[in-house]
Amino acid sequence: MPTGCVVEVPPAVGARGVEPVPRGSLPVQAAAVDRPHVSVAELTVEAARTGEPRLLRQAVLVDPDASSTLTPEQIRAVGNDLVVAHGDLLPEPLRETLPPNALRPDHDRGVPGARPPTASAGLEDRAAANPPSTDRRRTP
């Protein structure tokens, strides 16, 4: 089911008001399409639960809509802009603006036992260090 589709859940109206009627599991194909969006929601909830601002940025980085139109650098900048603009609506721990390299686990966070940046480089850092080739010729 493409992004933006409305999923109908049949309701039942009774003494307790309007309630959804369970319809069983989604077919594997529909669940696969929904999974990226569910992952974003899970990361966002975990950020709110733990107060970890990195998880909010990571949620946007894996969001299929945001990542299809913005670069990781733009996503980081927008995340900080949104925190500055709407920080009064966020719990105190989530109001922190983050430097670009803060999305790597335990980097520059004062976490005991954190590995140096070269040992804990994330996927983004590896991708930046090894940009895709612009040579479109096939190699055997």
Side-chain angles (χ1 to χ4, degrees):
M1 134 187 22
T3 302
C5 285
V6 176
V7 176
E8 290 189 30
V9 177
V13 180
R16 295 188 300 191
V18 179
E19 296 181 290
V21 176
R23 301 296 280 188
S25 298
L26 287 173
V28 127
Q29 299 87 343
V33 171
D34 286 345
R35 185 69 225 168
H37 300 283
V38 172
S39 296
V40 170
E42 289 172 344
L43 281 167
T44 303
V45 168
E46 189 65 10
R49 191 183 71 73
T50 63
E52 178 51 65
R54 289 181 304 155
L55 291 176
L56 284 177
R57 286 12 175 257
Q58 290 169 349
V60 182
L61 282 167
V62 300
D63 179 270
D65 298 320
S67 62
S68 70
T69 57
L70 299 172
T71 66
E73 293 78 22
Q74 290 171 318
I75 289 172
R76 288 186 202 104
V78 167
N80 282 339
D81 291 346
L82 288 170
V83 165
V84 169
H86 303 288
D88 57 327
L89 301 172
L90 296 171
E92 184 65 39
L94 298 181
R95 296 179 189 180
E96 181 181 352
T97 56
L98 301 176
N101 63 353
L103 295 181
R104 293 188 302 201
D106 302 331
H107 180 67
D108 288 340
R109 303 282 300 165
V111 176
R115 295 179 295 187
T118 55
S120 65
L123 292 176
E124 292 171 6
D125 296 322
R126 285 188 285 243
N130 302 305
S133 171
T134 56
D135 184 0
R136 301 289 182 221
R137 294 177 290 168
R138 291 188 172 203
T139 56

